[in-house]
Amino acid sequence: MEKRDELYAGKAKSVYGTDDPNRLILHFRDDTSAFDGKRKEALERKGMVNNKFNAFIMDKLQAAGIPTHFEKLLSDTECLVKKLDMIPVECVVRNLAAGGLVRRLGVEEGIELVPPTFELFLKNDEKGDPMINESLAQTFGWATSDQLSRMKALTFQVNDVLKQLFQDGDMLLVDYKLEFGVFDGEILLGDEFSPDGCRLWDAKTREKMDKDRFRQGLGGVIEAYEEVGRRIGVNFG
Ligand code: C5P
């Protein structure tokens, strides 16, 4: 597989073309951003940690029958993925109240959400990733009704697999965001799953072990990501 030009630079990852028009290389950088890119910092080892964390999770999901774009690790900070036609809609499931839900509805942080909630957001930094719904997504052509149903079903399947995985490591999967795309007419999980895009708390102390450490200036960000990985069996080498 030959690496070609950089096609796109996101806030934490860069995307490269390859000699295969249907494959891309994702490069996980050390850059970390929050608040729609308004706060940025490079955190040593983050690219490597998130790349290996993501590979581990994508393998678990694939093994559980959830189709993903992930193909293989290429290096400490790079992996090979299928080239998706991305759907600009972020799917968020919450098992416990935190973050945006607490701010929006004024509910107490940490209350259990039964059943878990499902929310949609438009992927658009300039507009601050506004909350949307299925009606808006269909009317504005961001996703079809069939695509939205499939995305919702897959997002909840991911919850079943990952809630248990993190529970076995004495952690609570509080919430997470997923992105999907289309490959050969099929919806596949795209983007990444790492502590950058989910909330994880220690089950006993409820200590935050995810990107909220960066957002809230708590320090020990990468150390926490590595601890999460260690508890579920990720090999960082
Ligand atoms: O901010 P909010 O509480 O809505 O985020 C819910 C979950 O989705 C969190 O785990 C957060 O890290 C993730 N998220 C994300 N990227 C966004 C928005 C939210 O990874 N653009």
Side-chain angles (χ1 to χ4, degrees), residues 13 26 28 48-61 69-70 73 79 81 189-195 234 236:
K13 293 192 293 297
L26 298 186
F28 288 72
M48 180 276 288
V49 167
N50 276 4
N51 183 41
K52 292 187 178 172
F53 193 102
N54 174 62
F56 181 90
I57 297 284
M58 290 284 172
D59 275 344
K60 290 275 180 210
L61 295 177
H69 69 155
F70 183 80
L73 273 176
C79 67
V81 297
L189 176 62
D191 192 43
E192 70 178 270
F193 192 101
S194 75
V234 181
F236 293 117

Side-chain angles (χ1 to χ4, degrees), residues 8-26:
Y8 171 78
K11 294 193 288 287
K13 293 192 293 297
S14 299
V15 180
Y16 293 84
T18 69
D19 51 350
D20 179 341
N22 294 314
R23 298 291 181 279
L24 297 173
I25 291 174
L26 298 186

Side-chain angles (χ1 to χ4, degrees), residues 9-225:
K11 294 193 288 287
K13 293 192 293 297
S14 299
V15 180
Y16 293 84
T18 69
D19 51 350
D20 179 341
N22 294 314
R23 298 291 181 279
L24 297 173
I25 291 174
L26 298 186
H27 174 224
F28 288 72
R29 307 194 314 270
D30 285 345
D31 300 327
T32 311
S33 80
F35 312 117
D36 296 319
K38 288 184 199 79
R39 194 166 147 223
K40 284 185 213 157
E41 213 177 298
L43 298 174
E44 212 177 318
R45 299 198 306 287
K46 174 162 174 285
M48 180 276 288
V49 167
N50 276 4
N51 183 41
K52 292 187 178 172
F53 193 102
N54 174 62
F56 181 90
I57 297 284
M58 290 284 172
D59 275 344
K60 290 275 180 210
L61 295 177
Q62 201 92 44
I66 296 157
T68 85
H69 69 155
F70 183 80
E71 299 238 306
K72 61 177 181 180
L73 273 176
L74 294 175
S75 71
D76 272 4
T77 56
E78 289 170 317
C79 67
L80 185 69
V81 297
K82 292 189 176 73
K83 183 179 180 164
L84 305 185
D85 191 4
M86 290 304 290
I87 295 171
V89 172
E90 302 184 337
C91 298
V92 171
V93 158
R94 302 178 197 266
N95 295 304
L96 299 168
L101 186 76
V102 168
R103 278 195 300 279
R104 219 172 329 119
L105 300 183
V107 297
E108 193 186 333
E109 185 180 69
I111 59 165
E112 205 181 339
L113 302 168
V114 185
T117 61
F118 179 74
E119 295 159 35
L120 299 175
F121 297 87
L122 178 65
K123 190 175 168 66
N124 186 319
D125 273 344
E126 276 165 37
K127 296 191 171 76
D129 291 348
M131 191 177 197
I132 58 168
N133 60 31
E134 299 200 6
S135 163
L136 291 167
Q138 288 171 60
T139 295
F140 290 107
W142 297 316
T144 67
S145 167
D146 285 353
Q147 288 175 337
L148 290 162
S149 315
R150 180 74 176 138
M151 286 157 65
K152 183 174 180 180
L154 288 172
T155 303
F156 276 115
Q157 269 186 47
V158 167
N159 202 34
D160 292 338
V161 178
L162 296 189
K163 232 168 49 172
Q164 189 62 52
L165 178 77
F166 290 115
Q167 193 178 303
D168 292 344
D170 279 323
M171 290 172 284
L172 297 167
L173 177 59
V174 173
D175 57 30
Y176 56 90
K177 180 263 303 177
L178 301 180
E179 294 180 28
F180 295 89
V182 180
F183 185 84
D184 261 351
E186 196 197 349
I187 299 273
L188 305 186
L189 176 62
D191 192 43
E192 70 178 270
F193 192 101
S194 75
D196 267 3
C198 68
R199 289 191 173 92
L200 293 159
W201 295 350
D202 178 88
K204 288 190 194 75
T205 65
R206 297 212 162 192
E207 190 188 355
K208 294 174 174 32
M209 304 178 75
D210 54 71
K211 193 162 143 183
D212 271 351
R213 299 200 70 82
F214 176 72
R215 295 187 188 100
Q216 299 175 8
L218 298 174
V221 180
I222 298 312
E223 291 77 5
Y225 287 21

